[in-house]
Amino acid sequence: MKIVVAVKQVPDTATQVKISGADPKAIDTAGITWIVSPYDEFAIEEALRIKEKRGQGEVVAVSLGPDRVKEALRSALAMGCDRAIHLNDPAWANADTLATAQALAAVIKQEQPALVLCGRQAIDDDMGAVGAQLAEVLDWPCASWIMDEAVDADAKTVRVGRQVEGGLEVFDIPLPAVLSAQKGLNEPRYPTLKGIMGAKKKEIKDVKPGDLGLTPGAPQLMVKKLEALPARPPGRIIQGEVKDAVKELVRALREDAKAI
Amino acid sequence: MANAYWCIVEDDRKGAPKKVMSEVLGEAGRLAGGTVEAVWLTDKATDDGIKQLGAWGASKVWVLENAAFAPYIGEVWVPALAELVAKESPKAIFAPVTSRMREFVARLAARLGAGLSADSVGFAMEGDALVATRPVYAGKVLAKMTWAKTPWIATMRPNVFKPAEASVAKSAQVEKPSVKIPTPRMKLVERREEVSTGLPELTEAETVISGGRGMKGPENYVILEKMAAVIGAAVGASRAAVDAGWRPHRFQIGQTGRTISPKLYLGFGVSGAIQHLAGMRTSKVIVAVNKDPEAPIFKIADYGIVGDLFEVVPALTDEFKKLLEK
Ligand SMILES: Cc1cc2nc3c(=O)[nH]c(=O)nc-3n(C[C@H](O)[C@H](O)[C@H](O)COP(=O)(O)OP(=O)(O)OC[C@H]3O[C@@H](n4cnc5c(N)ncnc54)[C@H](O)[C@@H]3O)c2cc1C
Ligand SMILES: Nc1ncnc2c1ncn2[C@@H]1O[C@H](COP(=O)(O)O)[C@@H](O)[C@H]1O
């Protein structure tokens, strides 16, 4: 069984993000630590577990982005993915979620996996859209925010638990299908030293729009500009004995903040 | 009607639109300067529900009622609504952020070849163009987004937009279009209901109480639940508390949990790590109680008490009781 995992490289949440002085539509990438988006690690882990459980199969990591993205693909390979595909072209520089989904779908049509795994959302743009849009472009069924999954013995269907408000909905989905991983699905492994060494020998194939028969057009959604967060008004530490402090807090919440 | 602003209805699965629809309809009304219509895909539309949508400002409710719409399945909902969109050419399509709406609206946008601004927290008309504001990079930056063409598609973060004032004088015209209902490939096996906490839903609550590692153990959440019962709050947790197994994952607030934007957030024994802030920094008023005066949460808190939460929580609960029972 072949599985494709869509992997996005994002800035580590802990790094400071500054808006670029030269381009108000972009962030200053100097000094940023890049990581694999955390939800995509759940997706990679789940793909590897499916392969391991079945004792055979192939896991292919796919990412769209500039040269630096190779590092994220290397991490995916170090975790255990078999090979990687890098959609790398300036024509995709302003890709919105739909253009990204179209590009990923074109690769998936060539690869013909039984299953595609994505993260619930990428933690840079926080759109949570690409997985569902990929399914639409491919005309495949999909389930978002999955908490568990089990592929049946002959790899014809997958049973998934989808998290919704107020409960969990369990579905049987015929393959091929797209699933997006929610936290709680698994605990991603750390790459072993052997994995990291082995990753250097694994293939990362560069793909251009032409290889997919695509000409990326203008995006449907554009960043007009980025703005720094408006500063919150300075806060107030309420001093004093607990019984006085809580009295003052409740008074302030009611009378000043009108929050209660 | 062409050029209408559509609001997709999120409901309680029992025939009542969720309260968040007052915010979606309210914001759409402010932007539209024209017609705002509700679109309700459901297995059970009720007259009261339709009345409610009218009172919140929908001049028309498109009711797509069919057993096949429950539970939500993208393969069924998307073609059905896309058919109506093709006939009616709405100018904008809005929905609240819920787990199913996130997927549905994204898939719909792909079907229509349109742009999507997910989890938006602000809108403005600039000339003839809609500009959406949405937090990016863990909420550290705000991005202003524009669309190449209509329909403008966006989801709205709950508790951010001013709700429409309900007016019983207003009522909606009802339209029941017939659309093709595709047969889905995926099949529901079962739905496992969560045990109800009796408290409001985390993402919708106007007040959220959050307990972190400082709670020391699962048994201590009782004191937060007591306070929650007094002030009508939801109780959430940090990832440290969730990972320790003290609370189920659905209660996690933050980057890898739920994004909340309540009127009032009260954090107890939460340090305020950047990933936690990512899920709650758009809260209107933030209160922090922590024994460490250097805890980063105090940097964004409006009110703070440096102290032991096990002393502060019971005292604060009593004080809330005194206020609210007056
Ligand atoms: C990829 C990634 C994603 C993440 N996603 C999330 C997420 O979604 N949500 C999230 O919350 N975190 C997330 N985290 C984890 C985050 O970095 C922090 O580790 C976590 O938020 C810490 O939780 P905490 O504040 O409860 O615990 P701690 O940081 O340990 O803080 C506990 C606080 O309690 C105080 N305290 C202790 N005892 C008392 C007492 N008796 N009275 C008063 N105060 C007391 C302490 O002074 C301390 O400040 C993520 C991390 C990563 C790497
Ligand atoms: N540029 C990209 N390359 C590969 N996968 C992506 C890319 N962007 C998004 N994805 C996948 O789609 C998921 C949702 O992303 P988003 O809709 O941007 O929040 C991510 O978790 C990834 O699995």
Side-chain angles (χ1 to χ4, degrees):
Chain A
M1 173 173 177
K2 194 200 267 190
I3 305 170
V4 164
V5 188
V7 176
K8 191 176 189 191
Q9 191 190 43
V10 298
D12 187 343
T13 331
T15 42
Q16 236 199 332
V17 172
K18 278 190 302 219
I19 299 164
S20 156
D23 177 7
K25 291 190 179 69
I27 58 163
D28 188 351
T29 52
I32 282 189
T33 314
W34 297 94
I35 57 165
V36 171
S37 188
Y39 291 106
D40 300 358
E41 290 186 352
F42 301 133
I44 295 169
E45 177 63 35
E46 202 61 21
L48 296 174
R49 286 188 190 189
I50 294 171
K51 176 184 159 180
E52 285 157 5
K53 203 164 141 200
R54 304 184 76 78
Q56 48 98 0
E58 190 184 26
V59 178
V60 185
V62 182
S63 190
L64 180 150
D67 289 342
R68 58 171 160 78
V69 163
K70 289 238 156 49
E71 248 180 85
L73 288 172
R74 280 280 169 234
S75 310
L77 294 174
M79 279 177 79
C81 294
D82 297 291
R83 60 189 169 88
I85 299 174
H86 183 188
L87 283 70
N88 183 9
D89 195 275
W92 281 312
N94 294 317
D96 58 0
T97 57
L98 183 52
T100 303
Q102 282 160 343
L104 294 174
V107 171
I108 288 161
K109 277 182 195 149
Q110 289 184 346
E111 290 288 331
Q112 302 196 334
L115 188 64
V116 173
L117 283 159
C118 297
R120 173 192 120 177
Q121 70 196 62
I123 63 149
D124 55 351
D125 67 10
D126 276 329
M127 279 289 190
V130 169
Q133 299 197 316
L134 190 54
E136 182 58 34
V137 177
L138 291 166
D139 189 23
W140 289 5
C142 71
S144 301
W145 296 38
I146 64 152
M147 299 292 287
D148 57 51
E149 100 6 82
V151 176
D152 72 341
D154 39 351
K156 288 268 191 307
T157 47
V158 61
R159 177 163 291 192
V160 304
R162 159 175 104 175
Q163 193 183 60
V164 292
E165 281 80 6
L168 192 81
E169 289 170 345
V170 181
F171 283 94
D172 276 339
I173 311 180
L175 299 175
V178 179
L179 305 178
S180 83
Q182 166 67 318
K183 192 204 164 205
L185 180 60
N186 55 44
E187 213 32 76
R189 70 195 63 188
Y190 289 103
T192 58
L193 189 60
K194 193 166 151 247
I196 295 167
M197 298 312 288
K200 294 186 177 143
K201 289 184 233 105
K202 290 178 182 169
E203 180 200 27
I204 300 183
K205 190 169 104 189
D206 260 330
V207 167
K208 299 281 166 197
D211 303 328
L212 303 170
L214 287 178
T215 8
Q220 288 298 321
L221 190 81
M222 291 142 308
V223 177
K224 190 166 188 246
K225 68 171 184 217
L226 298 180
E227 280 178 3
L229 216 57
R232 285 188 84 92
R236 186 180 142 209
I237 298 289
I238 300 173
Q239 312 280 359
E241 293 286 310
V242 166
K243 69 174 189 352
D244 301 326
V246 296
K247 259 205 189 85
E248 171 53 15
L249 175 59
V250 170
R251 188 209 60 76
L253 288 176
R254 157 84 20 137
E255 290 170 21
D256 307 341
K258 306 206 169 19
I260 194 101
Chain B
M1 177 180 143
N3 281 332
Y5 283 54
W6 277 8
C7 300
I8 313 285
V9 177
E10 183 59 281
D11 61 29
D12 65 355
R13 288 151 225 256
K14 293 184 205 94
K18 287 207 166 183
K19 197 189 75 198
V20 64
M21 291 313 298
S22 67
E23 299 161 23
V24 178
L25 285 158
E27 182 62 15
R30 265 186 296 281
L31 293 167
T35 356
V36 175
E37 299 173 354
V39 184
W40 197 1
L41 290 84
T42 177
D43 64 330
K44 195 192 303 152
T46 60
D47 290 343
D48 282 350
I50 292 166
K51 264 194 209 125
Q52 180 70 75
L53 294 165
W56 283 331
S59 61
K60 184 186 281 181
V61 181
W62 298 91
V63 179
L64 283 75
E65 192 177 4
N66 194 296
F69 290 130
Y72 156 75
I73 293 180
E75 303 168 72
V76 180
W77 280 44
V78 172
L81 191 62
E83 190 184 323
L84 195 63
V85 170
K87 273 190 218 137
E88 301 296 327
S89 324
K91 191 162 183 177
I93 302 176
F94 296 133
V97 176
T98 60
S99 42
R100 64 179 186 172
M101 284 298 165
R102 273 237 187 202
E103 181 194 294
F104 170 54
V105 173
R107 223 180 146 145
L108 180 72
R111 176 80 154 216
L112 302 173
L116 161 69
S117 169
D119 201 14
S120 315
V121 297
F123 294 98
M125 293 299 304
E126 292 186 10
D128 287 338
L130 182 67
V131 178
T133 303
R134 53 188 311 278
V136 290
Y137 300 108
K140 286 184 259 186
V141 174
L142 294 175
K144 305 267 174 185
M145 313 301 296
T146 56
W147 283 260
K149 61 168 196 285
T150 60
W152 303 316
I153 303 183
T155 54
M156 298 184 188
R157 184 175 289 187
N159 277 327
V160 170
F161 297 95
K162 200 166 153 254
E165 304 259 344
S167 153
V168 280
K170 292 191 230 159
S171 69
Q173 187 194 330
V174 178
E175 197 85 46
K176 297 194 169 171
S178 75
V179 291
K180 271 227 315 271
I181 308 286
T183 310
R185 288 161 284 192
M186 55 196 277
K187 298 259 175 321
L188 184 74
V189 180
E190 62 168 319
R191 187 181 150 94
R192 289 184 211 141
E193 298 293 334
E194 280 156 4
V195 211
S196 168
T197 55
L199 298 172
E201 184 119 29
L202 192 55
T203 45
E204 288 173 14
E206 292 192 354
T207 306
V208 173
I209 297 171
S210 158
R213 205 196 307 264
M215 295 304 298
K216 303 228 155 52
E219 65 285 357
N220 295 327
Y221 278 81
V222 175
I223 60 172
L224 299 187
E225 280 157 5
K226 275 195 191 135
M227 182 188 287
V230 173
I231 59 175
V235 177
S238 70
R239 168 156 166 191
V242 169
D243 283 358
W246 302 348
R247 304 298 277 176
H249 172 253
R250 67 190 153 104
F251 295 119
Q252 182 179 319
I253 297 164
Q255 185 161 55
T256 39
R258 299 285 175 163
T259 305
I260 59 167
S261 197
K263 287 207 177 82
L264 176 61
Y265 166 100
L266 301 131
F268 298 97
V270 174
S271 64
I274 190 83
Q275 295 90 352
H276 191 79
L277 303 190
M280 48 64 74
R281 78 184 327 147
T282 52
S283 305
K284 277 175 209 80
V285 177
I286 296 173
V287 173
V289 176
N290 196 304
K291 63 181 184 192
D292 174 9
E294 303 298 322
I297 190 143
F298 286 126
K299 288 207 188 74
I300 66 153
D302 300 283
Y303 300 101
I305 293 180
V306 179
D308 185 346
L309 73 90
F310 293 102
E311 286 174 38
V312 175
V313 171
L316 187 55
T317 304
D318 283 345
E319 212 51 50
F320 278 138
K321 248 192 221 149
K322 274 192 233 159
L323 175 79
L324 297 167
E325 282 167 10
K326 249 187 222 157

